[in-house]
Amino acid sequence: VQLVESGGGVVQPGRSLRLSCAASGFIFSSYELHWLRQAPGKGLEWVSVITSDGTKKYYAESVKGRFTISRDNSLNTVYLQMNSLRAEDTAVYYCAKDFDSWGQGTLVTVSS
Amino acid sequence: QSVLTQPPSASGSPGQRVTISCSGSRSNIGGNTVSWYQQLPRTAPKLLIYNYNERPSGVPDRLSGSKSGTSASLAISGLQSDDEGFYYCASWDDSLHGVVFGGGTKLTVL
């Protein structure tokens, strides 16, 4: 199993960023996929989950209305569209399959 | 402020047994499974325990999980130096419709 996040970087407050997580080594379309994050020096925070068929999505209150999770089962990829970014969204973002496999993370820094 | 409560630190000597607690409520631990993770510096978390006391392949049986009411615990026996790191508990929360984590416990092997 391999999960590889990409799309992180430095972005100004109020702007948008889209993260991608490319998966391999398992039947992608059979699993829920999660996004989580970890602010510098802080603990883990769950961000969002999408069901295997993409019909159900759940979000943490802290990102609801600003972030959107989606997936493309033909590309074995899950996405996190992040809009209206704030300084407090600065973190390493991880994707995870059933929490038993995690990517290496991608750093998002929101700063002017 | 995390929804699940963990002690900020724990410690033990090599060979000893240490327990890390995780306190929640009826909407999370009380009605859903609990998982535990270890995170070493600058690495992604690693799943240690799921469904209260199931271990993924490769996780030694000196690690065990338990639950009582709205609290859960992770026990590590035969403590080793490479057990040092941060440990997190997590559970689904029916009220928040999301996964909640504890704030993490830093385990030090003396």
Side-chain angles (χ1 to χ4, degrees):
Chain A
V1 174
Q2 190 171 20
L3 298 165
V4 180
E5 302 95 339
S6 61
V10 180
V11 61
Q12 293 180 329
R15 304 297 291 267
S16 299
L17 207 59
R18 188 178 84 155
L19 305 183
S20 300
C21 173
S24 60
F26 63 99
I27 302 175
F28 183 80
S29 58
S30 296
Y31 290 90
E32 293 184 344
L33 273 297
H34 298 258
W35 283 99
L36 304 98
R37 67 185 182 183
Q38 187 169 34
K42 302 296 184 182
L44 297 170
E45 179 186 15
W46 174 82
V47 172
S48 182
V49 62
I50 185 168
T51 53
S52 58
D53 60 2
T55 58
K56 293 183 181 178
K57 307 169 187 181
Y58 299 95
Y59 300 91
E61 282 297 322
S62 58
V63 306
K64 202 172 288 185
R66 299 188 299 124
F67 289 12
T68 301
I69 192 171
S70 62
R71 65 190 295 161
D72 187 331
N73 286 348
S74 68
L75 295 178
N76 287 2
T77 301
V78 61
Y79 305 97
L80 186 68
Q81 177 66 43
M82 305 185 295
N83 298 332
S84 302
L85 282 162
R86 306 166 180 168
E88 54 264 36
D89 295 318
T90 294
V92 174
Y93 284 74
Y94 297 99
C95 65
K97 158 198 165 287
D98 268 0
F99 290 107
D100 60 3
S101 299
W102 298 61
Q104 84 289 348
T106 187
L107 177 62
V108 173
T109 303
V110 183
S111 173
S112 54
Chain B
Q1 195 79 352
S2 302
V3 174
L4 304 182
T5 300
Q6 297 180 236
S9 63
S11 63
S13 300
Q16 282 189 333
R17 183 176 187 270
V18 66
T19 301
I20 297 172
S21 62
C22 176
S23 177
S25 66
R26 283 191 297 179
S27 64
N28 41 67
I29 294 176
N32 295 289
T33 61
V34 177
S35 52
W36 290 90
Y37 306 85
Q38 179 196 45
Q39 188 177 31
L40 303 178
R42 294 173 297 283
T43 66
K46 172 188 174 184
L47 178 64
L48 299 176
I49 298 286
Y50 64 99
N51 287 347
Y52 300 117
N53 195 23
E54 300 287 336
R55 288 183 305 277
S57 61
V59 175
D61 60 5
R62 59 189 186 82
L63 275 71
S64 63
S66 63
K67 176 209 159 182
S68 177
T70 58
S71 294
S73 294
L74 172 71
I76 306 174
S77 59
L79 206 57
Q80 302 175 359
S81 59
D82 56 6
D83 292 325
E84 280 202 340
F86 282 88
Y87 289 78
Y88 296 91
C89 59
S91 181
W92 179 264
D93 191 293
D94 293 326
S95 297
L96 297 175
H97 300 289
V99 178
V100 291
F101 278 85
T105 298
K106 183 177 182 181
L107 176 62
T108 301
V109 180
L110 302 171

